[in-house]
Amino acid sequence: MPAIPVKFFSHDMLGAPQLSGSAGALIAVLDACLLTGFNVRVPSSFVIAGGVGTLTFATAPGYIKHQVIAVAGADSAQYNTTWRVTGISGATITVDAAGVADATVASAGGLSARVAPLGWQKAFSGVNLAAYKSGAADATGCLLRVDDATATYASVRGYETMSDIDTGIGMFPTVAMRATSAWPKSGAASSAPRQWTLVGDDRFIYLVVHTEYDSLVAFPNHRCGVFFGDPIAYKAGDTYHAALSSIAVTAANQVGSEGQGNILHLGYDMGSANNRFVLARSFTQVGSAIWAAFVGSTSRSGDNTLSAYPNPGDNSLILGKMKLIVESAARAVRGELPGFYTCLQARPLTHGNLVEDVVPGRILMTIGTSTEQGYGYDYSTRWMLDITGPWR
């Protein structure tokens, strides 16, 4: 059974770490999703029949449909891999085992299951510090350095290479480009949990956070989205296309504004550096970090000025797949965002809703992010991520 590269995680999954306005809280989330997984359970049996795997536990394990779990401890290595949950009934779950021969999985030492991580690596660490990189053999090898010592946000920078947690070469963005480069956690220094969603594969991650500066009840889609990793490159041998988006301010009332870096819904370059993200180098493969922007199917995905949802003509949801990554200066197209779908209608659905019948063979997760914060109005947009994969 081949490994499943695309996985999704959220704050409300059993055993998931909680994000808060506390030092170290974001690293705990990233460690769980990228490195270790969570919610370890011990199945008493694992039986495969007719392309369906059935795992039985002593009590309900708390896994959810479409979640990807990792099984370990089987005597035969072919079963120690990732499986997608297809159904839950009490203490029993079923997983997709299409193409796997019927078997009762043997284990001399006992089986275990957990929510499967993305398979990244932590290259270096320190107190409230971490440097993550993709574990994929064909990745650029660029690293994400996270300084999580501040309560309400973490400082983030990309590096081409690092020799320890405080030493790196090829920073992106440079301090000259963006003095503040942050991923938000909370609108206040507090241990109160904040809602988060992370979707990714072994080379790219999206993180979406509701800081609750605006009311979660009144504005459930006022979230901030950021990303890091290797998008889909169009040119073979492009080894410096690693991308990082970040927020240019730390003020709680601005982190959710597109003018400060909350830009995943945008479909064109608005002319401001704060409406852009950064690539490790240009298409020439020389020099240093450069600005880049998106070219999409509409100026703002899921904006309230777009056509009605559902479409009055056929009751449909209309999406656009292309989300180009374009160098801001050279206007060179480097590639596209993986797994991203633009919404061509006004605010379809709400954050976290799953769509199973629009793109054949794919399950899409609705993401809600804001264009502005703190004005008492709904300034939200919508876009979608493929949680089935593969993205590449």
Side-chain angles (χ1 to χ4, degrees):
M1 187 76 180
I4 301 171
V6 174
K7 305 173 183 72
F8 69 101
F9 313 86
S10 62
H11 66 281
D12 53 353
M13 291 179 172
L14 186 64
Q18 295 304 301
L19 184 64
S20 66
S22 307
L26 179 59
I27 286 179
V29 170
L30 294 176
D31 280 358
C33 298
L34 273 59
L35 308 174
T36 64
F38 52 89
N39 190 19
V40 178
R41 291 290 184 264
V42 177
S44 57
S45 65
F46 184 11
V47 178
I48 298 172
V52 177
T54 301
L55 291 95
T56 302
F57 301 82
T59 59
Y63 301 129
I64 62 175
K65 190 176 180 181
H66 308 307
Q67 195 171 41
V68 178
I69 65 169
V71 170
D75 292 346
S76 177
Q78 66 176 314
Y79 305 115
N80 294 324
T81 185
T82 50
W83 307 82
R84 188 180 304 280
V85 178
T86 57
I88 304 100
S89 179
T92 298
I93 67 169
T94 55
V95 297
D96 180 11
V100 181
D102 292 0
T104 297
V105 178
S107 173
L111 296 169
S112 68
R114 60 176 170 158
V115 175
L118 288 171
W120 287 47
Q121 301 170 358
K122 184 187 280 188
F124 305 101
S125 62
V127 178
N128 295 323
L129 297 169
Y132 302 95
K133 63 183 296 186
S134 167
D138 53 353
T140 61
C142 293
L143 299 97
L144 173 68
R145 184 184 188 271
V146 181
D147 183 341
D148 200 11
T150 305
T152 56
Y153 66 93
S155 296
V156 295
R157 302 277 176 183
Y159 284 90
E160 292 178 12
T161 63
M162 296 183 72
S163 55
D164 60 54
I165 191 60
D166 293 317
T167 308
I169 297 173
M171 176 194 292
F172 59 99
T174 63
V175 175
M177 296 174 77
R178 180 164 286 177
T180 297
S181 178
W183 281 7
K185 298 190 293 184
S186 173
S190 163
S191 61
R194 302 301 187 220
Q195 292 192 3
W196 60 268
T197 303
L198 191 149
V199 182
D201 69 358
D202 57 356
R203 295 180 60 181
F204 197 91
I205 60 170
Y206 298 92
L207 174 67
V208 183
V209 175
H210 198 301
T211 65
E212 293 199 36
Y213 176 80
D214 286 342
S215 165
L216 179 62
V217 175
F219 304 106
N221 297 288
H222 273 202
R223 298 169 191 262
C224 180
V226 290
F227 60 83
F228 173 77
D230 298 349
I232 298 171
Y234 283 172
K235 181 181 178 181
D238 187 347
T239 57
Y240 293 101
H241 65 286
L244 171 63
S245 77
S246 61
I247 308 304
V249 295
T250 59
N253 66 334
Q254 297 183 54
V255 297
S257 300
E258 66 183 26
Q260 301 298 342
N262 190 23
I263 58 171
L264 273 161
H265 58 273
L266 290 179
Y268 70 107
D269 183 350
M270 296 182 68
S272 165
N274 287 350
N275 294 116
R276 302 174 189 173
F277 57 97
V278 69
L279 298 174
R281 295 189 193 182
S282 79
F283 70 93
T284 64
Q285 308 293 290
V286 298
S288 57
I290 61 164
W291 289 117
F294 300 126
V295 173
S297 306
T298 184
S299 60
R300 286 190 178 95
S301 176
D303 188 74
N304 68 336
T305 61
L306 297 175
S307 60
Y309 169 78
N311 179 40
D314 60 1
N315 202 42
S316 66
L317 171 65
I318 304 174
L319 304 173
K321 178 65 175 72
M322 192 61 68
K323 186 80 161 182
L324 297 178
I325 292 173
V326 182
E327 294 184 14
S328 297
R331 300 296 179 183
V333 177
R334 294 288 290 278
E336 63 186 82
L337 278 183
F340 190 100
Y341 286 81
T342 297
C343 294
L344 301 179
Q345 293 159 290
R347 296 174 180 166
L349 309 172
T350 194
H351 182 85
N353 289 163
L354 299 183
V355 178
E356 301 187 45
D357 56 355
V358 174
V359 180
R362 305 282 172 153
I363 302 166
L364 307 182
M365 176 181 287
T366 308
I367 306 293
T369 51
S370 57
T371 63
E372 300 288 346
Q373 268 193 320
Y375 293 94
Y377 298 98
D378 186 355
Y379 288 106
S380 64
T381 63
R382 305 289 189 275
W383 39 281
M384 294 193 176
L385 291 175
D386 168 18
I387 64 168
T388 305
W391 287 347
R392 305 170 191 276

